[in-house]
């Protein structure tokens, strides 16, 4: 396994089975990296390699521009990032990866995935090559989130917010904060930041402060809808979700309140009318702005908690969690 003549610890094989009841000579071996290698008696090559996560999956993003089906990029607490295409098979991203916890992922329109991790770096992935580009940018502290505008990259660390150029990762602006940012999202006209001060801080795209909205509990998830009349969904450690229009301090709805634990992730559908959320309570909910009192739910979706959710299509959702699993769900019923 691995490259010829090169010693690779992850390719060390730790287990092998010869499945009973088959006549095709299939053999499956397990590598130290967690890869499953499909072999065949008499065939010197590897027929197939199945890759995926072995640790808590902590981040997810979607690329829709460069394949017929959405490709999902997922990061885990050991620094591994994988890509999952429409077939559902995972592929580990090659190259100079994060050394530990991947805290957030974001997708650009230029064929790049941006990742931040607790090795205090920003890294980028070439979507078509499925490999890290080899360049990394050091952050001033532990990154909590990354989000992209049309020309810049916003990063929140426990010390403040950075705005970087997407051309060369040079610092455009640095805003120190009196609070410790916990989550970050970027929309068409605003950048939203949640803080440990239980406030929702709104900035324009040049990181000029616009307003702050106090809340009873800490902001733990943020998501802008893709529609022109954008909504901002704000999730809290209490399990509640409030929907705003970025320029209006009055909520659109406060009735999304079925989670019994911390809201970990929110994502809007392409029309900006429905949102899906996942929480530490292991549950997934699909919500509607037009019918805020109705919802579709999945209980115990991930045993260790739901850490990320994304729409895969009009009525399909992909989720990741602390059980190291990537799951795809069909949304049935109207909301």
């Amino acid at each position: 396994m691995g490259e010829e003549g090169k010693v690779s610890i992850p390719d060390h094989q730790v287990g092998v089975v010869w499945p009973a009841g088959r006549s095709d000579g299939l053999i499956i071996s397990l590598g130290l990296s967690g890869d499953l290698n499909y072999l065949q008696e008499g065939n010197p090559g590897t027929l197939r390699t199945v890759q995926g996560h072995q640790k808590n999956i902590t981040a997810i993003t979607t690329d829709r521009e460069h394949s017929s089906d959405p490709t999902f990029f997922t990061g885990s607490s050991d620094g591994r990032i994988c890509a999952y295409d429409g077939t559902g098979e995972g592929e580990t991203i090659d190259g100079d990866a994060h050394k530990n916890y991947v805290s957030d992922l974001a997708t650009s329109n230029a064929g790049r995935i941006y990742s931040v991790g607790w090795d205090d770096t920003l890294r980028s992935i070439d979507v078509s090559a499925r490999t890290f580009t080899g360049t990394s940018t050091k952050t001033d502290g532990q990154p909590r989130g990354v989000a992209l505008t049309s020309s810049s990259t916003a990063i929140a660390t426990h010390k403040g917010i950075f705005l970087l150029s997407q051309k060369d990762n040079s610092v455009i602006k640095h805003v120190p904060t009196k609070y410790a940012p916990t989550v970050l999202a970027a929309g068409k006209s605003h950048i939203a930041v949640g803080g440990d001060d239980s406030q929702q801080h709104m900035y324009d795209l040049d990181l000029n402060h616009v307003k702050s909205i106090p809340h009873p509990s800490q902001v733990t998830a943020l998501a802008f809808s893709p529609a022109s009349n954008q909504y901002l969904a704000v999730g809290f450690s209490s399990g509640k979700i409030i929907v705003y229009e970025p320029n209006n301090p009055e909520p659109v709805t406060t009735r999304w309140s079925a989670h019994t634990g911390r809201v970990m992730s929110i994502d809007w559908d392409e029309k900006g009318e429905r949102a899906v959320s996942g929480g530490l309570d292991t549950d997934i909910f699909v919500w509607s702005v037009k019918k805020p009192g109705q919802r579709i739910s999945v209980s115990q979706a991930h045993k260790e908690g739901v850490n990320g959710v994304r729409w895969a299509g009009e009525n399909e959702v992909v989720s990741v969690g602390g059980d190291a699993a990537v799951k795809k769900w069909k949304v049935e019923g109207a909301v």
Side-chain angles (χ1 to χ4, degrees):
M1 308 301 168
E3 295 181 24
E4 184 71 27
K6 181 180 179 181
V7 177
S8 173
I9 298 300
D11 286 316
H12 176 68
Q13 301 302 295
V14 296
V16 61
V17 294
W18 197 329
R22 299 180 67 105
S23 58
D24 56 359
L26 179 68
I27 301 169
I28 301 176
S29 71
L30 173 66
L32 192 62
S33 63
D35 294 352
L36 292 174
N37 301 290
Y38 285 60
L39 312 166
Q40 190 174 42
E41 183 185 10
N43 189 333
T46 303
L47 300 179
R48 176 187 177 197
T49 299
V50 177
Q51 298 178 315
H53 294 282
Q54 285 78 55
K55 301 292 184 180
N56 176 19
I57 302 178
T58 53
I60 183 173
T61 191
T62 313
D63 177 72
R64 300 180 183 275
E65 302 294 329
H66 303 91
S67 60
S68 56
D69 293 312
T71 300
F72 297 88
F73 289 80
T74 57
S76 53
S77 59
D78 58 356
R80 173 178 286 199
I81 295 179
C82 295
Y84 291 86
D85 59 17
T87 65
E89 289 197 12
E91 178 183 351
T92 301
I93 302 301
D94 293 327
D96 188 15
H98 291 282
K99 302 302 184 290
N100 50 32
Y101 194 102
V102 179
S103 53
D104 202 7
L105 298 167
T107 306
S108 78
N109 294 326
R112 289 286 188 271
I113 302 294
Y114 289 85
S115 63
V116 289
W118 285 5
D119 53 0
D120 296 353
T121 62
L122 165 73
R123 300 173 188 264
S124 61
I125 296 167
D126 186 315
V127 171
S128 58
R130 301 287 175 88
T131 183
F132 285 94
T133 60
T135 60
S136 65
T137 302
K138 197 71 175 175
T139 60
D140 74 334
Q142 198 173 77
R144 305 298 175 85
V146 59
L148 303 177
T149 69
S150 58
S151 61
S152 60
T153 305
I155 300 175
T157 73
H158 69 287
K159 296 180 180 179
I161 314 165
F162 284 85
L163 205 59
L164 308 180
S165 168
Q166 289 184 18
K167 291 183 178 180
D168 57 9
N169 287 343
S170 59
V171 177
I172 299 173
K173 190 172 185 178
H174 174 217
V175 178
T177 55
K178 295 181 179 179
Y179 61 91
T182 56
V183 66
L184 173 78
K188 294 184 183 340
S189 59
H190 290 80
I191 294 173
V193 182
D196 64 352
D197 57 354
S198 297
Q199 293 195 60
Q200 166 194 336
H201 302 276
M202 302 295 292
Y203 300 83
D204 64 19
L205 297 184
D206 295 319
L207 275 189
N208 299 306
H209 184 261
V210 177
K211 61 185 174 183
S212 295
I213 302 174
H215 294 289
S217 57
Q218 186 173 309
V219 177
T220 56
L222 292 164
F224 285 95
S225 66
S228 56
N229 55 334
Q230 275 198 317
Y231 294 120
L232 171 62
V234 185
F236 300 95
S237 58
S238 63
K240 191 169 186 176
I241 300 172
I242 299 178
V243 179
Y244 292 91
E245 292 175 336
N247 291 314
N248 188 349
E250 294 299 319
V252 175
T253 181
T254 60
R255 299 181 65 186
W256 296 4
S257 57
H259 282 291
T260 57
R262 175 189 296 260
V263 179
M264 300 297 291
S265 179
I266 306 171
D267 189 44
W268 290 91
D269 68 1
E270 290 187 352
K271 295 181 179 180
E273 297 176 353
R274 295 181 300 169
V276 59
S277 64
L280 203 58
D281 56 1
T282 75
D283 295 343
I284 296 173
F285 291 97
V286 174
W287 312 91
S288 169
V289 173
K290 294 182 178 180
K291 300 177 181 179
Q294 299 182 21
R295 60 182 180 268
I296 298 171
S297 64
V298 176
S299 298
Q300 300 182 352
H302 292 269
K303 187 187 299 183
E304 305 295 331
V306 182
N307 292 333
V309 287
R310 290 294 184 274
W311 287 93
E314 184 176 357
N315 287 303
E316 291 182 331
V317 167
V318 168
S319 65
V320 297
D323 54 3
V326 179
K327 298 183 179 182
K328 192 172 186 179
W329 308 88
K330 184 176 181 181
V331 180
E332 295 182 339
V335 290

